Amino acid sequence: MADKVKETAKQEVERVRHIAEEGAKSGAYLYPLKGIYYLATHPDLYKPLLNRLAPTLTLGLGITVAMFLFTYLPQVAVLVWTSGPLAALSTVLLVLSESSTLTMVLSKMLLIEDSLIDTFDGTLVAQGQTELVAKQRQIKSGGAGAAFGRLGKLVSKPLAKFSPVALIRYFMYLPLNFIPVVGTVAFVFLQGRRNGPSAHSRYFQLKGMNGTQREKHIEERKGAYTSFGVASVLLEMVPIAGIFFAFSNTCGAALWAADIENKAGTAPALREKAAMAE
């Protein structure tokens, strides 16, 4: 029995190491950082963020207050045994991080899904992927400098908005945070492994991929999607700023999708970008 446990643990460590190496080589973890710069330098993409800023911050405030009222004392009681005299500070940071993550999970389900779709599509249009976006929504005529303004009505329904799976998975992984360092790393990794592919849900829809095609696409880029997901989760765990990073991560995901299309030799997009530059 002990040998089986050791062998299983060894295989899991090797699998994680392989994913980490693949992710590092892919450079996909840089796209959330590129998304920050892209969103900051493209004011026309501010509108989706600003439209949902107030309700998201209100939700975040309510969640944070509730988390401190109902979870601070139980968590500090546990962390006293693992963090010693730093338990109080560690618990404050943990509750803030948990509140930010939970706010992002709920806001994506209930408040900002449509705005994130607009941000994703607007970034793709600005990157010359108008034909790809036009498969799922109307596109108005105009220059590259007003990408968001060119977005028309959605031609088809977006992906299902509310799914309790992410919330259930979040609460399942949450106890990992009680384990110092290793537990938090595992929590971020597991959340990132799921969030990476989710960031391209809109891209898969625009491409018309079915379930099998999506799974194949993700499997071929498992390390890349995990590294993107880990980087995006870390950013969205930042209290208050998490809402901004949710939108900048969406920009980063769209930039990555545009690069995938360009590397695949999508000639129409390349010609469109060239025409915009003239």
Side-chain angles (χ1 to χ4, degrees), residues 100-130:
S100 181
T101 303
L102 187 55
T103 298
M104 287 301 97
V105 172
L106 289 176
S107 63
K108 286 180 180 179
M109 288 180 180
L110 306 173
L111 297 175
I112 64 175
E113 181 68 21
D114 290 342
S115 296
L116 292 178
I117 289 175
D118 289 342
T119 301
F120 191 92
D121 290 355
T123 303
L124 282 179
V125 170
Q127 290 297 298
Q129 297 293 338
T130 303

Side-chain angles (χ1 to χ4, degrees), residues 89-102:
L89 177 60
S90 297
T91 306
V92 168
L93 296 176
L94 179 59
V95 172
L96 286 174
S97 175
E98 291 168 350
S99 300
S100 181
T101 303
L102 187 55

